[in-house]
Amino acid sequence: MMSPAGRLPLRFSTQTLLLQLGVVLLVVLLSGAVHAWLTFERLGREAENQALTLARTVASDPSVRANVQAISRQAGTPPPAELKTGPLMAVAEGARARTGALFVVITDETGLRLAHPDADRLGERVSTDPSEALAGREVTTRNTGTLGPSAGAKVPVFAPGSASGTGSGGGSGSGSRTVVGEVSVGYSTESIGQSLARDIVPIVLTAAGSLVAGVLASFLLRRRLQRLTLGLEPEEIGALVHDQVAVLEGVDEGVVGISADGRISVFNAAAQRLLGQPDLAGQLWQDAPVPARLKALTLPDAREGEAVELVAGEQVLVASARKALHRREDLGWVVMLRDRTELQHLTRQLDAVGTMSTALRAQRHEFANQLHTIAGFMSIGQHQQARDYLERLAATGPLKFPVDQAELLQDPYLQAFIGAKGVEADERGVSLRIGPETLVRGQVTEPQDVTTVLGNLIDNAVNAAVAGTAAERWVELELLDEAGDGGGILHLVVADSGDGLPDGGDPEAVFAEGFTTAGGRALQGQVRPAGGQGLGLALARQLARRRGGDVTVLEPGNVGGPGAVFMATLPGTTTARKD
């Protein structure tokens, strides 16, 4: 067959060869790059350690410490001419000349240069931040200063008589410490690159050798593949396997093979069972005692692959036919037969998927409420609580709090979560407010459970308020905690301005999975599923009862408001606040 561009497509063996060569080349390049990067990092770390050692040596020199302290005690910094001929410049330049460092810089406690390879920059402030070293901590750096890119270190200079033991992590030895300046040492990254250039030769040679070996192996594998497959392409092998295995060894599906001359070449046991016929192999297909609709599938004007239902004895079958081709050669037809009863298995699988989707909707309820809590934390600046909470959850988002009397909430979890819910309610035209009897003296210790129950109650109340007929839409919360065995008990009361529960309806019905009033007021006693709805109250009650509490209906409400009032009791979810 010709490709759209008029060229013969690449043979499978050639495609395999090119793919192998591409993979080998990619692996070699990645390995070489990683090796080179690791070598560069190693050389950089060595330069940093060397710079740190030299900086420590210079900073611990008694004459350096004494001279830096003396300059720091002066009212101003000496002029550059005096610094250029001073003892600090001699020490710094001597150390730089001995070690081949790019620079050895000494500063006072304000970061002004007292020694620098470029005398014109004496008395100026250093170009890189010296605050870490001036705070008494040793640091290693990689940056670009006035002398170019470098890898180096900064070490504090302590006054004579002060403890000088510090570590890179900022720890200190015993005794008082007075930082009078700092020493910065750097080695040029250009020299690191030169060292890397020397080390890169064996890396390149190794990579080239690996590439040659990979190419050779790919060619050998291509030749072996052609020899094993007798030059056949995968499609050709697939057709042979289809004829020799799938057709002959089919068990669950009936298979009828019809040769190009119109005779039945294969009539497997499953086809015999489904059609209620003996082995018909060798007979003309058009004379075979099979349903006419089955024969029609192989007519010249038939649509290939079209599935039809037909009756064969007491069986209801689904049949389809496909043309069998080998290159340009017509091998005939293959007719597939399937028992319709197998579709019942697919139906049961769909039922299982429906059950899974119900569970996923329940998890969506919980996760959405947890995300609201995190969003509330970030908006009120409770970053530490957010980080703690994010050990279990992952989400952020700033919020504002349109919640009346939100100041009654002292617990950060409740304040953040209810504030986030207030934003959501405000967007839907519902006012969320805190009741005057609210009093939470402890702090929440089980935020996930509390937000799940409280969030579902608030969501249902907001939905009821939106669907209600009252002119003013509102949701009111009252929260109260009390001491209890095994942790404090949190009581939640949620009321709304909706039309309440259906008249005469059973209050317990609202806790059944699938009950919903979203999108309108529910019919009396009606339980109906809605996409993504009808799971909140059932989840809330289940969670509360698992903790030894409950969720109940205090008031069913009235048309025109006020609406229903729900109460939840959550034992073991609070603890006494630590002042």
Side-chain angles (χ1 to χ4, degrees):
M1 295 181 64
M2 302 293 290
S3 67
R7 297 172 299 186
L8 289 173
L10 294 176
R11 295 181 61 84
F12 177 72
S13 57
T14 303
Q15 295 179 24
T16 303
L17 173 63
L18 295 177
L19 178 61
Q20 290 172 335
L21 292 179
V23 171
V24 170
L25 179 61
L26 179 61
V27 170
V28 169
L29 291 178
L30 287 178
S31 301
V34 170
H35 193 177
W37 172 252
L38 293 177
T39 301
F40 178 79
E41 285 295 303
R42 176 180 57 81
L43 294 174
R45 287 193 298 271
E46 290 177 356
E48 291 174 356
N49 293 334
Q50 187 176 0
L52 181 60
T53 301
L54 179 58
R56 286 173 175 172
T57 302
V58 174
S60 61
D61 189 323
S63 63
V64 171
R65 296 170 69 180
N67 283 292
V68 172
Q69 183 187 40
I71 294 175
S72 298
R73 288 178 174 177
Q74 296 179 10
T77 304
E82 181 180 340
L83 293 174
K84 180 177 181 180
T85 58
L88 292 178
M89 189 70 170
V91 172
E93 286 301 288
R96 185 177 70 86
R98 289 193 304 272
T99 60
L102 177 64
F103 61 82
V104 177
V105 177
I106 303 175
T107 74
D108 62 10
E109 79 282 0
T110 64
L112 297 180
R113 297 186 181 101
L114 304 179
H116 190 275
D118 187 354
D120 294 336
R121 298 188 179 275
L122 292 174
E124 298 178 358
R125 183 173 176 81
V126 291
S127 59
T128 56
D129 184 16
S131 59
E132 289 287 324
L134 294 178
R137 294 185 291 272
E138 298 177 352
V139 293
T140 56
T141 62
R142 293 189 193 184
N143 48 40
T144 301
T146 57
L147 299 177
S150 64
K154 295 180 182 292
V155 174
V157 176
F158 295 97
S162 299
S164 59
T166 63
S168 59
S172 64
S174 61
S176 60
R177 300 178 302 160
T178 302
V179 178
V180 295
E182 59 98 8
V183 175
S184 298
V185 176
Y187 287 87
S188 174
T189 54
E190 295 179 357
S191 62
I192 297 177
Q194 294 172 355
S195 300
L196 178 61
R198 293 192 300 269
D199 294 346
I200 205 67
V201 175
I203 298 177
V204 173
L205 293 178
T206 303
S210 301
L211 182 60
V212 171
V215 171
L216 180 60
S218 298
F219 274 104
L220 294 177
L221 181 59
R222 178 175 182 266
R223 293 186 58 185
R224 177 170 175 79
L225 181 63
Q226 289 179 325
R227 185 169 61 253
L228 291 177
T229 61
L230 301 177
L232 294 175
E233 293 297 291
E235 296 81 4
E236 300 168 335
I237 298 174
L240 290 176
V241 172
H242 184 274
D243 289 340
Q244 300 299 319
V245 179
V247 173
L248 297 177
E249 302 298 330
V251 176
D252 295 332
E253 295 184 342
V255 179
V256 180
I258 302 145
S259 63
D261 60 2
R263 291 187 177 274
I264 299 175
S265 58
V266 176
F267 201 82
N268 70 346
Q272 298 173 35
R273 173 177 56 82
L274 294 174
L275 295 174
Q277 298 291 335
D279 190 358
L280 301 178
Q283 294 189 23
L284 287 173
W285 174 242
Q286 293 302 323
D287 297 335
V290 298
R293 295 191 62 190
L294 194 60
K295 297 178 182 178
L297 293 174
T298 61
L299 295 177
D301 59 347
R303 294 169 57 183
E304 183 178 353
E306 181 181 9
V308 298
E309 290 186 358
L310 54 93
V311 177
E314 297 181 356
Q315 303 275 9
V316 179
L317 307 178
V318 176
S320 61
R322 291 189 178 277
K323 197 72 173 175
L325 298 172
H326 178 64
R327 296 192 178 129
R328 296 177 179 272
E329 183 180 358
D330 183 1
L331 300 181
W333 290 87
V334 176
V335 178
M336 308 295 294
L337 302 172
R338 294 182 296 276
D339 195 336
R340 184 175 174 81
T341 55
E342 294 182 3
L343 298 179
Q344 297 178 1
H345 178 64
L346 297 178
T347 302
R348 290 193 294 269
Q349 287 183 331
L350 290 177
D351 291 338
V353 171
T355 302
M356 291 176 60
S357 66
T358 300
L360 289 176
R361 287 201 306 271
Q363 291 181 2
R364 184 187 66 185
H365 275 74
E366 285 190 313
F367 190 62
N369 292 328
Q370 293 163 357
L371 293 182
H372 282 305
T373 301
I374 297 174
F377 280 148
M378 300 303 294
S379 67
I380 63 174
Q382 297 289 344
H383 298 153
Q384 183 58 46
Q385 287 85 341
R387 283 193 294 270
D388 295 339
Y389 199 58
L390 276 173
E391 293 178 358
R392 294 168 289 176
L393 309 171
T396 58
L399 295 173
K400 297 181 180 179
F401 289 172
V403 179
D404 295 339
Q405 302 190 86
E407 65 276 2
L408 295 177
L409 295 173
Q410 299 300 320
D411 181 82
Y413 284 109
L414 294 176
Q415 187 180 28
F417 178 67
I418 294 176
K421 283 295 185 181
V423 174
E424 186 180 42
D426 185 66
E427 292 175 349
R428 302 182 64 184
V430 178
S431 174
L432 183 63
R433 63 197 188 200
I434 307 300
E437 302 299 325
T438 293
L439 178 60
V440 180
R441 294 158 295 184
Q443 61 184 16
V444 174
T445 57
E446 298 293 338
Q448 287 181 281
D449 290 353
V450 171
T451 53
T452 298
V453 175
L454 182 58
N456 283 320
L457 293 179
I458 294 176
D459 289 342
N460 286 336
V462 171
N463 289 334
V466 171
T469 58
E472 182 182 1
R473 298 175 177 178
W474 52 264
V475 172
E476 183 171 295
L477 314 177
E478 286 192 351
L479 302 94
L480 179 67
D481 67 334
E482 64 172 323
D485 296 336
I489 303 173
L490 183 63
H491 300 279
L492 311 172
V493 178
V494 181
D496 59 70
S497 61
D499 292 341
L501 301 181
D503 294 339
D506 181 7
E508 291 298 310
V510 300
F511 297 101
E513 291 190 8
F515 184 93
T516 179
T517 59
R521 190 162 176 263
L523 298 178
Q524 179 174 344
Q526 181 178 7
V527 178
R528 59 184 177 89
Q533 302 289 339
L535 292 172
L537 290 176
L539 268 177
R541 169 171 277 190
Q542 183 182 24
L543 190 151
R545 288 183 172 178
R546 190 164 61 239
R547 301 193 63 87
D550 203 353
V551 178
T552 58
V553 178
L554 290 183
E555 294 289 342
N558 302 293
V559 176
V565 180
F566 287 83
M567 183 181 76
T569 304
L570 299 175
T573 55
T574 63
T575 187
R577 189 179 303 275
K578 297 179 180 180
D579 295 329

